[in-house]
Amino acid sequence: MRILLFTGKGGVGKTTLAAATAVRLAGRGRETLVVSTDPAHSLADAFGTRLTGEPSLVDTRLHAAHVDTRGLVDSAWDELRAQLRAVLAGAGVDELDAEELTVVPGLDELLALTEVARLAKTDNWDTVVVDCGPTAETLRLLALPDAIATYLQRAFPARSVRGMVSGVGRQGWVDAVTRLAAHLAELRDLLADPQVTGVRLVLTPERLVVAESKRTLAALALRDIRVDGMIANRLVPKAGMRRGPAATWLRTRRGEQDEVLAELRASTPIELHVVEHRAAEPVGLEALASLADELYGRSDPLGSSVSRPPSLLQIRPEGAGYVLRVAIPLTEQSDVDLARIGDDLAITVDGMRRLVPLPAVLRRYEVADASVDGDGLLLQFAGTTP
């Protein structure tokens, strides 16, 4: 099974392109499920049909659904939070404090991701296409397995939990925490496996949008999540031999867009597809199939010209120490901050942070220098081992 996550700045057309990709995949004989996790659902509008939280048949080999995160929270979380409040209250925690402690940040997004994983297992799908929310929401979504695991570990350490809970309740809570940890690890492995999951970044050929897309590439690389394709949507048509003010505007605007895309292609090896702006909004299976023809031509939507990405961390010995490369695509405008926190390296790129456990061989060394090259960060570790 392959999972394709479509994301991009709000309004760039990611829902339509996700739907068109799903139509192409199903048309090529693959059992395909397309799911929307965007809180502002428009997947049903793209198909011109009604969708629910469970997969429904849209066309031969094509099913679609949208995730109702609010309903998931109402049905799945209230009971668990009530149990947790009881545990904390039994440990002498004030009722108001207990209420605050049971508010897990990003719960809606976590449940949405969990629901996608559940739906992916409901049938023998060849491909699951996910219409994600706008870029910022998607980055939070993909960071959640790590973030919530860290949150729970710090808020409810295993020793503290065992000390607070006694009897039958104790074993039940410990089992629940163990199951949650395993579930988060499974989600993280699913997202980080480039043989299973790929991200398709949708953009419009404008400098501000492309700048955000470059930051997104760095943020996803920081999470070890592979972007295996980009789609530039809504290129204005070429004017050809036409004359007049409208033709002049088309040539000028298309020239600006082509220049932006040339710069983007020069900055990354990721395959870039382009789609021209259409006079009529593509709604319905026939229009989506036509859009997919323009988007992919004769190629396979699952194909990619990019090989398996390098691992996030690469180490090599140098002199009396080591060099650690952190493989993140950076630009001259990237805002990078590094900090050593115990045995972890806190890496912040354009406001997105990740705690990366240092390889054991480096934990007795100190960071002596840091620099940036075309392949990411280079950290010099110096010191002597005992």
Side-chain angles (χ1 to χ4, degrees):
M1 180 183 68
R2 288 286 304 280
I3 299 176
L4 300 180
L5 306 176
F6 278 73
T7 189
K9 188 177 175 66
V12 297
K14 59 179 179 53
T15 298
T16 300
L17 293 170
T21 300
V23 169
R24 164 59 68 92
L25 290 167
R28 289 200 162 203
R30 293 186 175 95
E31 293 293 339
T32 303
L33 170 67
V34 56
V35 184
S36 174
T37 64
D38 192 336
H41 293 301
S42 57
L43 186 62
D45 298 327
F47 286 117
T49 188
R50 182 176 178 275
L51 298 177
T52 68
E54 293 297 325
S56 57
L57 184 66
V58 175
D59 196 20
T60 305
R61 299 184 184 277
L62 177 61
H63 289 71
H66 67 72
V67 174
D68 179 11
T69 52
R70 187 67 262 163
L72 291 175
V73 171
D74 292 342
S75 64
W77 176 242
D78 286 349
E79 181 179 354
L80 178 58
R81 191 168 68 172
Q83 294 173 353
L84 181 53
R85 276 202 307 267
V87 169
L88 294 170
V93 178
D94 181 81
E95 182 177 350
L96 182 59
D97 292 336
E99 178 71 25
E100 293 176 350
L101 285 172
T102 59
V103 178
V104 176
L107 179 68
D108 290 23
E109 290 92 344
L110 177 65
L111 289 176
L113 188 59
T114 300
E115 183 67 1
V116 168
R118 183 190 74 80
L119 291 173
K121 298 175 182 177
T122 59
D123 210 328
N124 294 320
W125 310 112
D126 296 314
T127 312
V128 176
V129 178
V130 185
D131 168 33
C132 299
T135 307
E137 283 77 4
T138 300
L139 292 176
R140 286 200 300 269
L141 178 76
L142 300 181
L144 278 170
D146 281 344
I148 292 186
T150 301
Y151 171 88
L152 292 175
Q153 183 179 12
R154 292 178 178 177
F156 310 108
R159 292 182 181 179
S160 299
V161 170
R162 287 185 171 87
M164 288 191 302
V165 189
S166 59
V168 176
R170 165 183 168 175
Q171 189 58 49
W173 172 243
V174 171
D175 290 345
V177 171
T178 301
R179 288 195 302 271
L180 180 56
H183 174 65
L184 291 172
E186 182 181 356
L187 286 178
R188 181 73 189 90
D189 292 344
L190 181 69
L191 292 172
D193 185 350
Q195 303 304 314
V196 176
T197 302
V199 174
R200 302 292 165 89
L201 190 56
V202 181
L203 55 100
T204 50
E206 304 165 39
R207 293 195 181 278
L208 291 178
V209 177
V210 169
E212 178 178 313
S213 299
K214 289 180 179 179
R215 290 192 292 271
T216 301
L217 291 176
L220 291 170
L222 190 60
R223 296 286 164 193
D224 254 352
I225 295 172
R226 178 194 184 201
V227 176
D228 61 5
M230 296 187 296
I231 303 172
N233 193 23
R234 297 177 186 155
L235 272 73
V236 300
K238 293 183 177 180
M241 300 300 294
R242 286 173 288 184
R243 298 182 181 277
T248 299
W249 183 90
L250 286 174
R251 288 190 189 91
T252 300
R253 185 72 184 107
R254 180 59 182 259
E256 293 172 346
Q257 292 180 331
D258 287 341
E259 184 179 337
V260 169
L261 294 181
E263 293 175 3
L264 179 60
R265 285 190 173 99
S267 67
T268 175
I270 298 172
E271 187 174 14
L272 176 65
H273 295 274
V274 297
V275 179
E276 287 193 350
H277 207 309
R278 298 191 162 209
E281 187 176 2
V283 175
L285 293 170
E286 184 177 348
L288 291 171
S290 174
L291 180 61
D293 289 340
E294 179 185 352
L295 176 57
Y296 297 108
R298 295 178 178 273
S299 65
D300 185 348
L302 296 182
S304 172
S305 62
V306 181
S307 60
R308 186 184 181 100
S311 65
L312 181 65
L313 303 182
Q314 303 161 42
I315 308 171
R316 71 170 188 266
E318 186 171 287
Y322 291 88
V323 172
L324 174 68
R325 177 181 295 283
V326 185
I328 305 172
L330 300 172
T331 68
E332 293 180 357
Q333 293 74 36
S334 295
D335 184 10
V336 182
D337 183 67
L338 298 171
R340 176 80 178 266
I341 304 176
D343 290 336
D344 292 335
L345 187 65
I347 307 174
T348 305
V349 179
D350 295 323
M352 297 295 296
R353 168 176 281 200
R354 182 183 177 188
L355 285 178
V356 179
L358 284 172
V361 70
L362 298 179
R363 292 175 185 172
R364 298 181 184 276
Y365 291 77
E366 297 295 330
V367 178
D369 193 17
S371 60
V372 175
D373 66 10
D375 295 319
L377 296 171
L378 282 176
L379 305 180
Q380 301 278 345
F381 282 78
T384 57
T385 55

